[in-house]
Amino acid sequence: MIIVMKSHATAKQIEDVVQWIESVGYKAHPSSGVERTIIGAVGDNRDKAVLKYAESLPGVEKTMPILKPYKLASRESHEGDTVINIGSLEIGGPEFIVMAGPCAIESEEQLLESAYVVKKGGGQILRGGAFKPRTSPYSFQGLEEEGLKVLDAVSRKTGLPTVTEVVNPADVDLVESYADVLQIGARNVQNFALLKKVGHARKPVTHLPVVIDPSHAAGNWKYVIPLSRAAVAVGADGIIVEVHPEPEKAVSDGAQSLKPEKFYQLMDDIRALAKAMRS
Ligand code: MN
């Protein structure tokens, strides 16, 4: 249900409505627009009739059913774009964001070298996997906590914030203590035990803004630059892309990883396209 506040509703009235929604067992998602605040009430649909009572609360103009099945992402309940802040960096704002780095963290030297390439090229966030959900149980599974420590050390040395994948609900607290953004891989988008756990995390888990992964989409470095250009052209908020100083020696996903010079070319293309689209 969506509760539409009157345009002159006070902060206190909005807060009272939020508290009332939560008192009847629903989660309130307030969203302040230029003109007015709307509050999404998300919960068990079976007894949503109780939410009609909100119309009698001070400051409320009307209630409306949420028509879209994707309640949290719908513009109905959240008018503005979703913007995630990491320090001074905005994901989902006007700037196109590039998250880049190796598929897997292999050593501090490898990640540091990758981070310098990312930074030199103008990428804003360092990616690198410490927990790897591989197709084969015989493949390298990641350095786990040792890898997270390397990620943290390289982040401190270079000033780049980090994104890394979490694959196990039991590891969420650990990953959250080292990384700035938690990544959920394609294999885990229906792993509800994991999604529930990351839902309680204090760090962002990005269902929105829209970030494209051209590396895993293609599986081959040749298509990564064209797909990244396409991501800019369709208005995505950013990309997450695999870059490795020596792809031929990478322990995972070497075939789709960009060499440094290809990454610089990609960044030049993105800058040119983003500029052309703004003008
Ligand atoms: Mn990978």
Side-chain angles (χ1 to χ4, degrees):
M1 193 75 91
I2 293 166
I3 289 98
V4 182
M5 301 301 294
K6 290 179 177 161
S7 55
H8 58 268
T10 65
K12 168 87 169 61
Q13 287 171 336
I14 293 166
E15 181 52 33
D16 286 349
V17 172
V18 166
Q19 282 189 8
W20 177 80
I21 290 168
E22 304 212 330
S23 77
V24 293
Y26 284 76
K27 185 99 184 79
H29 296 273
S31 170
S32 298
V34 181
E35 296 250 324
R36 63 181 75 233
T37 293
I38 58 177
I39 307 171
V42 177
D44 190 337
N45 270 338
R46 284 171 297 186
D47 51 16
K48 65 184 175 191
V50 69
L51 292 166
K52 284 295 276 182
Y53 174 79
E55 288 181 357
S56 63
L57 296 175
V60 173
E61 184 169 298
K62 61 180 175 179
T63 62
M64 310 157 40
I66 299 177
L67 301 175
K68 300 278 193 294
Y70 37 93
K71 295 173 184 173
L72 293 181
S74 161
R75 292 269 184 208
E76 283 182 332
S77 57
H78 192 279
E79 270 187 319
D81 290 349
T82 299
V83 178
I84 289 168
N85 293 291
I86 301 165
S88 59
L89 192 65
E90 279 191 343
I91 307 176
E95 191 182 6
F96 189 81
I97 298 295
V98 175
M99 310 176 187
C103 179
I105 299 164
E106 299 164 21
S107 67
E108 179 156 350
E109 189 187 16
Q110 170 251 14
L111 190 66
L112 194 57
E113 202 176 333
S114 305
Y116 282 132
V117 170
V118 172
K119 199 164 178 175
K120 185 177 165 191
Q124 298 98 327
I125 299 178
L126 177 64
R127 62 149 291 152
F131 294 93
K132 301 305 301 174
R134 306 301 299 284
T135 305
S136 164
Y138 300 105
S139 299
F140 176 62
Q141 305 290 313
L143 293 180
E144 304 186 342
E145 186 169 7
E146 195 48 45
L148 294 174
K149 286 181 178 163
V150 167
L151 186 67
D152 188 47
V154 170
S155 171
R156 285 169 200 274
K157 277 185 185 160
T158 58
L160 287 171
T162 59
V163 54
T164 197
E165 182 170 359
V166 57
V167 299
N168 183 342
D171 296 327
V172 171
D173 293 342
L174 180 73
V175 175
E176 188 185 2
S177 70
Y178 288 102
D180 295 297
V181 181
L182 304 182
Q183 179 189 348
I184 301 293
R187 286 183 174 91
N188 277 316
V189 292
Q190 291 179 333
N191 178 346
F192 292 108
L194 178 64
L195 298 179
K196 281 178 187 168
K197 182 69 183 170
V198 295
H200 290 286
R202 311 284 302 170
K203 298 279 173 69
V205 188
T206 58
H207 71 292
L208 287 171
V210 177
V211 175
I212 307 281
D213 179 343
S215 308
H216 294 89
N220 184 321
W221 68 268
K222 282 183 192 161
Y223 306 111
V224 170
I225 293 179
L227 283 176
S228 302
R229 288 197 296 248
V232 181
V234 296
D237 298 294
I239 52 170
I240 181 162
V241 62
E242 288 185 344
V243 177
H244 195 289
E246 296 175 289
E248 63 281 8
K249 294 184 185 165
V251 300
S252 67
D253 287 352
Q256 70 200 30
S257 296
L258 294 178
K259 289 182 177 173
E261 61 268 26
K262 292 289 177 195
F263 177 67
Y264 301 143
Q265 185 194 327
L266 161 75
M267 293 303 293
D268 285 344
D269 286 6
I270 285 175
R271 272 186 286 269
L273 253 179
K275 190 176 165 201
M277 285 175 68
R278 274 196 299 269
S279 57

